[in-house]
């Protein structure tokens, strides 16, 4: 519905119109009439695009943040998922209160307080408050609201760069995107909910942030008037930035930090690294997020070049502002270049926005000869500077760029640790060992990916092109590494992989039931991973990301599950920006791309059933209107496959001949007449309520019925045995052969032991069958064969297919001969991890081992 990828050139539109006319389609509009209509709709319900001239002299365009927020509030597909308060489990109390306004704390004792923050809790909405000292003082928003609700509208702000070309020629565009932070977790990373603000191939990120900060400041001061389609009334919203998201170099730029190559390489705290090179000189500037990969050979385990001193002092915004002010004051003195450079190195502070003006001061008097002429030139340059030479990030109210730039898990974990360790395996441990390289290539191809939500793996690609993989490939490697790397790499390396594979699903956890327990376990697992990595090779700690990971628990405590501030969806949106650039004449990229996204915004709003105001000639006031049912039905087709099953190729049979009939002769799901006289059809695929597709003999996690809770706990593992439907059931849903299941039989799997080889729970067949309802099946899980205990190897040969044809070529594959029912619950899977919490997982290192290390 967002239509961001539906980009057509003028020539393509002419071709479509010609095809329609040639096929005698009537009332075909011309391109000119469509453009005229677009202009009218843009004025009626569109997003304004404003030109700004940046402080560095570059021109860029920004779409209206306030109008986008107003559209979100009037959009029923978005508003239903929005929340406006931090949440602690409990019900909502719908009473209206204002911050910093006198409130009765206790009706009986008549105590008063001054609320400073609201959050949802059970069973009411309590304030975090201090005792009121001036009862006559009120809240300014009470006056501005004029009887309307005042709602907070937090946003995640993201910035990154992408190329404006589809060729290899680099055309860097810096872009700002945002998504509402009040959305439900399942909606946050949908492309539908990602909004474009601005882009430029000339202006730097902080220069563009200046214009965005101006819009936010105006909205924070006056509020954003919007129509709330939920309450069906006018409301006033206050937008504010929860956090600034981006990769590590971008976060360093936001935090006015010198970068990952600096001696103080962390933008969150003052941890210090020291190298031999840095003893002779200092490094100034940011580093690419993809640091150079060092080879960690087994024979090169000398002390690391970077020795980190972990400091407890966190960086504070006020201290950074003071440092930047002192730096600028020092730059206003003739001959202070070396001193300013030393201040940057000593503090780890560098602001690219301010640096433009500092360099201007340095250059202003270089051509002068005398001290007096240099001082006069410098004073003249200072008077020509704007009033504010500090980064606009400091104008974002309530934001601390050191603490509100959370760990970016995509580049730190998947494109960090997983990439480093996988490359080390290919370049160092398996280098010149062709037999092991071949084994590492064939094992992934034989791995059973059912339950992971992944297609069959191509081991040849993962190994041969292992030095140029993407984040999606490393996401796959992290989930299968414990099973395909066993026996191929060093014991220290394999232990580290096991720990990392358990740590990654914890980081990508979608829901946290007990934050205290979760943070305790996560912190211990991070410590265990760092200890095991040090046992493997201390040279790993040349990589700053091994320290950055330490800050993840505090950011999760501050913002919630790490998946909320993950950036994968924003990274994918870069392709949309690139497409807009490619389908423009590239003479004014910032303006043209912004206008294209502004058009996409009102199309999205109209086709979502959003409300907009129209001033009719005969009416005194503008009226709220929305699209009619005709256009809306085009994009509101429901997904008809959820909760259905696909028929198998087997012929229908009587109930007594089915597996379910053999296990339950008098199943209560069916009446006696049905069991004896009705034909039953088996299913080859079951589509679960979360969209997972499961086939018989694959594994699932099931919510335990109340009567079995004492024996099985809150959930249990099971193997799907048979799915039946009655032949005289309701007609097919949507497509022929897709029906609703009438009974689902599963085999309960035991999961009380932990495998010594994989440090994961084992699954054993119990022979106990159970008929469950579809809504109790929580999701699919991956349970590969326990090959280590049963001595499986690459002993079977399978044919190779090329161009969909079977060839005479064969390749080795894994053969599971002994005990095929011995299974391992793959807790490294990143899909449905929240449902695996009830099952035992051994910690990588216990408290005593961590203490000894």
């Amino acid at each position: 519905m967002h239509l961001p990828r539906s980009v057509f050139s003028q020539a393509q539109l002419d071709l479509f119109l010609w095809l329609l006319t040639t096929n005698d389609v009537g009332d075909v509009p011309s391109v000119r009439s469509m453009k005229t209509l677009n202009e009218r709709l843009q004025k009626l319900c569109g997003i304004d695009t404003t030109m700004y001239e940046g402080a560095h002299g570059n021109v860029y365009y920004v779409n209206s943040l306030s109008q986008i927020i107003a559209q979100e509030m009037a959009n029923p597909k978005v508003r239903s998922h929005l929340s406006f308060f931090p949440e602690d489990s409990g019900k909502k109390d719908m009473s209206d209160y204002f911050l910093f306004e006198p409130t009765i704390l206790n009706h009986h004792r008549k105590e008063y307080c001054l609320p400073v923050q609201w959050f949802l809790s059970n069973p009411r909405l309590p304030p975090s408050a201090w005792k009121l000292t001036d009862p006559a003082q009120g809240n300014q928003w009470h006056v501005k609201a004029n009887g309307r609700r005042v709602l907070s509208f937090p946003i995640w702000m993201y910035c990154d760069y992408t190329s404006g070309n589809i060729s290899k020629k680099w055309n860097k565009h810096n872009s700002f995107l945002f998504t509402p932070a009040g959305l439900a977790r399942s909606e946050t990373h949908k492309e539908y909910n990602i909004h474009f603000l601005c882009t430029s191939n000339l202006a730097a990120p902080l220069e563009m942030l200046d214009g965005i900060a101006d819009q936010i400041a105006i909205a924070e001061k006056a509020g954003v008037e919007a129509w709330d389609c939920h309450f069906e009334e006018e409301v006033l919203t206050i937008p504010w930035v929860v956090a600034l998201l981006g990769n590590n170099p971008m976060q360093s730029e936001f935090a006015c930090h010198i970068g990952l190559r600096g001696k103080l390489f962390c933008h969150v705290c003052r941890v210090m690294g020291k190298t031999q090179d840095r003893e002779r000189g200092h490094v100034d500037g940011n580093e690419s997020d993809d640091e150079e990969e060092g080879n960690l050979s087994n024979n090169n385990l000398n002390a690391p070049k970077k020795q980190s001193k972990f400091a407890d002092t966190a960086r504070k915004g006020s201290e950074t502002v003071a440092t930047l002010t002192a730096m600028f004051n020092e730059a206003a003195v003739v001959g202070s270049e070396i001193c300013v450079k030393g201040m940057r190195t000593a503090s780890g502070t560098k602001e690219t926005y301010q640096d433009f003006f500092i360099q201007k001061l340095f250059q202003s008097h270089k051509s002068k000869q005398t001290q007096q002429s240099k001082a006069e030139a410098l004073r003249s340059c200072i008077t020509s500077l704007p009033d504010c030479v500090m980064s606009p990030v400091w104008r974002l109210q309530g934001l601390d760029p050191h603490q509100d730039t959370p760990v970016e898990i995509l580049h730190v974990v998947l494109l960090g640790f997983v990439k480093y360790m996988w490359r080390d395996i290919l370049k160092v441990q398996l280098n010149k060992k062709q037999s092991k390289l071949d084994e590492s290539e064939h094992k992934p191809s034989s791995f059973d990916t059912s339950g992971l939500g992944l297609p069959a793996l191509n081991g040849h690609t993962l190994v041969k092109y292992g030095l140029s993989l993407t984040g999606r490939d490393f996401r796959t490697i992290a989930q299968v590494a414990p099973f395909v790397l066993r026996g191929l790499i060093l014991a220290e390396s394999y232990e580290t992989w096991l720990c990392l594979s358990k740590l990654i699903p914890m980081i990508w956890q979608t829901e946290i039931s007990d934050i205290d327990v979760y943070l305790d376990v996560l912190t211990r697992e991070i410590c265990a991973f760092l200890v095991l990595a040090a046992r493997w090779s201390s040279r790993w700690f040349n990589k700053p990301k091994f320290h950055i990971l330490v800050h993840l628990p505090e950011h999760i405590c501050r913002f919630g599950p790490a998946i909320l501030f993950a950036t994968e969806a924003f990274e994918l949106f870069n392709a949309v920006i690139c497409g807009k650039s490619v389908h423009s004449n590239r003479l004014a990229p910032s303006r043209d791309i912004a206008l294209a996204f502004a058009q996409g915004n009102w199309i999205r709003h109209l086709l979502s059933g959003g409300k907009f105001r129209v001033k009719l000639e005969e009416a005194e006031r503008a009226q709220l209107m929305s699209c009619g049912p005709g256009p809306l039905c085009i994009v509101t087709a429901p997904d008809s496959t959820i909760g259905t099953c696909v028929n198998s190729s087997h012929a229908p049979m009587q109930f007594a001949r089915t597996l379910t009939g053999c296990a339950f002769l008098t199943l209560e799901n069916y009446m006696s007449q049905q069991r004896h006289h009705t034909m039953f059809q088996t299913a080859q695929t079951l589509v679960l309520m979360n969209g997972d597709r499961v086939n018989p003999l694959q594994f699932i996690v099931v919510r335990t019925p109340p009567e079995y809770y004492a024996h099985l706990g809150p959930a249990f593992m099971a193997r799907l045995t048979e799915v039946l439907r009655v032949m005289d059931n309701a007609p097919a849903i949507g497509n022929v052969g897709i029906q609703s299941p009438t009974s689902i039989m599963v085999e309960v799997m035991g999961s009380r032991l932990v495998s010594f080889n994989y440090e994961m729970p084992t699954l054993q067949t119990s022979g106990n069958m159970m008929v469950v309802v579809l809504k109790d099946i929580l999701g699919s899980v991956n349970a590969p064969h326990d090959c280590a205990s049963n001595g499986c190897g690459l002993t079977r040969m399978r044919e190779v297919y090329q161009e969909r044809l079977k060839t005479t070529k064969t390749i080795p594959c894994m053969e599971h001969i002994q005990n095929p029912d011995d299974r391992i619950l793959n807790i490294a899977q990143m899909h449905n991890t929240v449902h695996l919490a009830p099952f035992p997982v051994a910690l990588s290192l216990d408290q005593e081992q961590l203490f000894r290390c």
Side-chain angles (χ1 to χ4, degrees), residues 461-701:
T461 300
L462 297 178
V463 174
K464 185 173 180 61
Y465 306 103
L467 304 183
S468 56
L469 300 178
T470 63
R472 179 181 298 178
D473 299 315
F474 292 120
R475 185 185 181 97
T476 299
I477 290 171
Q479 299 179 77
V480 304
F483 301 93
V484 301
L485 294 180
R486 180 171 177 79
L488 298 177
I489 58 178
L490 300 173
E492 297 85 356
S493 175
Y494 185 71
E495 289 178 358
T496 309
W497 272 104
L498 284 179
C499 182
L500 182 60
S501 294
K502 288 191 293 185
L503 177 62
I504 289 177
M506 290 187 63
I507 294 175
W508 263 261
Q509 194 83 268
T510 57
E511 298 176 11
I512 300 175
S513 57
D514 190 323
I515 187 66
D516 296 327
V517 173
Y518 172 82
L519 290 178
D520 180 63
V521 175
L522 178 65
T523 302
R524 292 178 61 184
E525 282 296 317
I526 289 176
C527 293
F529 169 68
L530 297 178
V531 168
L532 292 172
R535 286 181 180 176
W536 177 359
S537 172
S538 58
R539 288 176 61 86
W540 282 126
F541 295 95
N542 289 335
K543 311 288 187 182
K545 293 178 182 178
F546 281 83
H547 165 75
I548 294 174
L549 181 66
V550 176
H551 294 293
L552 181 60
E554 63 189 77
H555 289 153
I556 292 177
C557 183
R558 186 177 180 90
F559 299 108
I563 192 67
L564 289 177
F565 47 84
T567 60
E568 285 94 331
F570 292 110
E571 294 279 351
L572 293 174
F573 202 84
N574 285 338
V576 183
I577 300 174
C578 179
K580 301 293 186 184
S581 173
V582 169
H583 288 83
S584 69
N585 58 18
R586 309 190 191 191
L587 298 179
S590 181
R591 183 199 65 185
D592 293 343
I593 295 175
L595 290 175
F597 276 104
Q599 177 181 346
N601 274 105
W602 63 255
I603 293 176
R604 167 186 180 270
H605 187 67
L606 292 179
L607 295 182
S608 300
K611 301 284 187 177
F612 58 95
R613 293 191 178 278
V614 178
K615 182 67 171 67
L616 301 178
E617 295 182 358
E618 62 275 8
E620 296 181 359
R621 298 179 58 186
Q623 297 183 1
L624 285 168
M625 303 185 68
S626 62
C627 274
L632 294 181
C633 70
I634 301 175
V635 291
T636 55
D639 187 355
S640 60
T641 61
I642 298 296
T644 63
C645 60
V646 180
N647 295 339
S648 67
S649 58
H650 298 105
M653 63 188 74
Q654 293 182 345
F655 181 74
R657 297 182 58 188
T658 64
L659 297 177
T660 306
C662 295
F664 302 94
L665 296 178
T666 59
L667 186 63
E668 296 181 357
N669 291 44
Y670 309 112
M671 297 171 54
S672 176
Q673 185 177 1
Q674 283 183 314
R675 293 196 299 268
H676 291 88
H677 303 288
T678 306
M679 302 297 287
F680 290 80
Q681 175 68 58
T682 58
Q684 66 177 7
T685 302
L686 176 65
V687 184
L688 306 182
M689 301 306 294
N690 66 347
D692 290 352
R693 302 177 69 89
V694 186
N695 298 331
L697 301 183
Q698 294 181 356
F699 295 87
I700 54 178
V701 56

Side-chain angles (χ1 to χ4, degrees), residues 335-408:
S336 58
E337 291 92 336
I338 296 178
C339 182
V340 170
K341 200 171 184 180
M343 293 176 68
R344 288 175 182 165
T345 303
S347 63
T349 301
K350 178 186 177 182
E351 186 184 289
T352 57
Y353 186 87
Q354 185 193 69
D355 187 58
F356 173 85
F357 303 106
I358 291 179
Q359 294 302 323
K360 205 171 182 179
L361 296 180
F362 290 160
Q363 296 296 326
S364 65
H365 55 82
K366 273 199 170 182
S367 61
K368 305 299 180 181
Q369 300 298 322
T370 65
Q371 193 71 14
Q372 182 178 357
S373 61
K374 287 184 177 183
E376 291 177 355
L378 184 59
R379 283 195 297 270
S380 176
C381 182
I382 292 175
T383 57
S384 66
L385 297 180
D387 296 335
C388 181
V389 295
M390 299 280 284
S391 169
V393 75
W394 305 111
R395 293 194 283 119
L396 298 176
Q397 296 294 322
L399 184 84
D400 186 335
H402 297 301
Q403 305 303 319
D404 296 332
T405 47
V407 174
E408 205 280 287

Side-chain angles (χ1 to χ4, degrees), residues 262-500:
K263 184 168 67 173
L264 282 79
F265 56 87
C266 180
H267 74 273
V268 179
C269 70
R270 298 187 181 278
V271 63
M272 182 180 296
K274 185 177 181 181
T275 67
Q276 296 175 359
D277 294 336
R278 293 187 179 104
E279 290 176 356
R280 295 189 294 268
H282 47 262
V283 179
D284 187 7
N286 286 340
E287 176 193 352
S288 170
D289 192 64
D290 189 8
E291 309 109 67
E292 186 177 330
E293 315 302 329
N295 290 346
L296 304 178
S297 64
N298 192 31
N299 299 324
N300 191 18
L301 301 180
N302 54 317
K305 294 181 181 178
K306 179 182 291 182
Q307 297 176 348
S308 299
K309 297 179 181 179
F310 288 87
D312 294 332
T313 56
R315 291 181 180 268
K316 297 180 180 179
S318 58
E319 296 174 355
T320 302
V321 170
T323 302
L324 292 171
T325 303
M327 209 176 291
F328 183 80
N329 293 335
E330 186 67 29
V333 179
V334 175
S336 58
E337 291 92 336
I338 296 178
C339 182
V340 170
K341 200 171 184 180
M343 293 176 68
R344 288 175 182 165
T345 303
S347 63
T349 301
K350 178 186 177 182
E351 186 184 289
T352 57
Y353 186 87
Q354 185 193 69
D355 187 58
F356 173 85
F357 303 106
I358 291 179
Q359 294 302 323
K360 205 171 182 179
L361 296 180
F362 290 160
Q363 296 296 326
S364 65
H365 55 82
K366 273 199 170 182
S367 61
K368 305 299 180 181
Q369 300 298 322
T370 65
Q371 193 71 14
Q372 182 178 357
S373 61
K374 287 184 177 183
E376 291 177 355
L378 184 59
R379 283 195 297 270
S380 176
C381 182
I382 292 175
T383 57
S384 66
L385 297 180
D387 296 335
C388 181
V389 295
M390 299 280 284
S391 169
V393 75
W394 305 111
R395 293 194 283 119
L396 298 176
Q397 296 294 322
L399 184 84
D400 186 335
H402 297 301
Q403 305 303 319
D404 296 332
T405 47
V407 174
E408 205 280 287
I409 56 177
L410 171 63
H411 288 88
V412 171
V413 180
L414 295 183
L415 295 175
F417 310 137
V418 179
K419 181 176 71 173
Y420 301 158
M421 294 164 61
W422 183 251
R423 288 185 173 185
D424 179 75
I425 289 173
L426 300 181
K427 293 172 64 176
V428 180
Q429 298 189 46
L430 302 185
N431 188 29
K432 298 180 181 180
K433 299 177 182 178
Q434 192 58 44
S435 60
K436 288 194 172 183
L437 274 174
D438 293 340
E439 187 175 350
S440 66
E441 182 176 315
H442 298 315
K443 276 188 172 181
S445 300
S446 304
F447 187 80
D448 179 15
T449 59
S450 61
L452 295 178
L454 300 173
L457 305 184
N458 188 338
H460 177 74
T461 300
L462 297 178
V463 174
K464 185 173 180 61
Y465 306 103
L467 304 183
S468 56
L469 300 178
T470 63
R472 179 181 298 178
D473 299 315
F474 292 120
R475 185 185 181 97
T476 299
I477 290 171
Q479 299 179 77
V480 304
F483 301 93
V484 301
L485 294 180
R486 180 171 177 79
L488 298 177
I489 58 178
L490 300 173
E492 297 85 356
S493 175
Y494 185 71
E495 289 178 358
T496 309
W497 272 104
L498 284 179
C499 182
L500 182 60

Side-chain angles (χ1 to χ4, degrees), residues 84-155:
F84 303 100
F85 295 101
E87 291 189 12
D88 184 15
S89 63
K91 301 179 181 179
K92 296 182 180 179
D93 180 359
M94 299 309 295
S95 302
D96 292 335
Y97 302 93
F98 287 87
L99 298 179
F100 305 107
E101 185 174 78
T103 303
I104 297 177
L105 187 63
N106 188 301
H107 286 283
H108 299 288
R109 297 173 60 185
K110 297 297 181 182
E111 293 183 355
Y112 293 85
C113 70
L114 192 67
V116 297
Q117 182 181 6
W118 299 112
F119 64 94
L120 297 180
S121 181
N122 187 16
R124 56 188 183 278
L125 190 66
S128 169
W130 66 72
K131 295 295 181 179
L132 183 64
T133 57
D134 185 4
Q137 185 178 1
N139 187 335
Q140 59 172 332
W141 288 101
H142 203 168
V143 179
K144 294 178 181 180
N146 193 24
R148 296 171 293 185
R149 298 174 190 264
V150 180
L151 301 175
S152 170
F153 197 96
I155 61 175

